[in-house]
Amino acid sequence: IQKYSEALVNIYEKYNTGKSVPEVLEKLTADEENISILKELDPITDRIKKIISELLKMQVPQSLSIPHLDLVNVSERLMENISKIKLLDNDPIVTIGAINQYWENTVALESAAGKLIEIIRQKLSQQ
């Protein structure tokens, strides 16, 4: 459990740099005519892809497999939302839906991560 916890922290620390989706959307709101701002979402989706890839390669203790899978699944949904946000110029309706789902999935990601952290804490305190 301790090794898993350390590996998880290392993954998120490794990819915790750069702009956030709200920063890019705020910039777009300030300059609505400049759709090219949405290209700034690409490094964010790249970071999430790398995180997911590393999460999938991790050795996960069986007792953490379900919350770990929840973390991966919510991360993938978040990445899909960000990809759909970039469709603003071609399909604004899809983009609006993706923005709404992005916020919902952000909350879901925080919840999944919180549950996983709590389970890890409980397991480590029992050792």
Side-chain angles (χ1 to χ4, degrees):
I1 302 283
Q2 183 65 40
K3 286 181 184 178
Y4 170 83
S5 177
E6 290 169 2
L8 196 61
V9 167
N10 289 337
I11 289 170
Y12 281 94
E13 284 179 352
K14 182 176 176 182
Y15 297 109
N16 192 22
T17 58
K19 289 186 180 178
S20 67
V21 172
E23 288 173 320
V24 174
L25 293 177
E26 186 176 310
K27 191 174 177 182
L28 179 64
T29 302
D31 187 4
E32 294 176 9
E33 300 299 315
N34 190 0
I35 299 295
S36 66
I37 290 171
L38 292 174
K39 290 181 182 178
E40 294 179 22
L41 294 172
D42 291 340
I44 298 169
T45 55
D46 289 342
R47 283 195 318 257
I48 296 172
K49 282 180 191 176
K50 290 174 183 173
I51 289 170
I52 292 169
S53 176
E54 290 202 33
L55 289 174
L56 291 173
K57 292 176 187 173
M58 290 178 70
Q59 288 191 354
V60 181
Q62 186 171 356
S63 61
L64 300 176
S65 61
I66 291 176
H68 180 86
L69 184 59
D70 289 344
L71 186 68
V72 170
N73 288 336
V74 174
S75 297
E76 286 184 347
R77 288 196 310 264
L78 205 57
M79 187 176 62
E80 289 172 12
N81 296 146
I82 297 167
S83 295
K84 288 180 181 177
I85 290 170
K86 294 188 298 188
L87 300 175
L88 179 62
D89 203 25
N90 298 326
D91 200 340
I93 300 296
V94 169
T95 298
I96 292 168
I99 291 170
N100 288 332
Q101 290 174 349
Y102 170 81
W103 296 115
E104 292 171 13
N105 284 320
T106 298
V107 171
L109 181 63
E110 290 172 2
S111 175
K115 287 176 186 174
L116 183 58
I117 290 167
E118 185 57 33
I119 293 169
I120 290 169
R121 282 187 185 139
Q122 288 175 0
K123 299 278 184 193
L124 290 174
S125 69
Q126 293 172 357
Q127 292 181 349

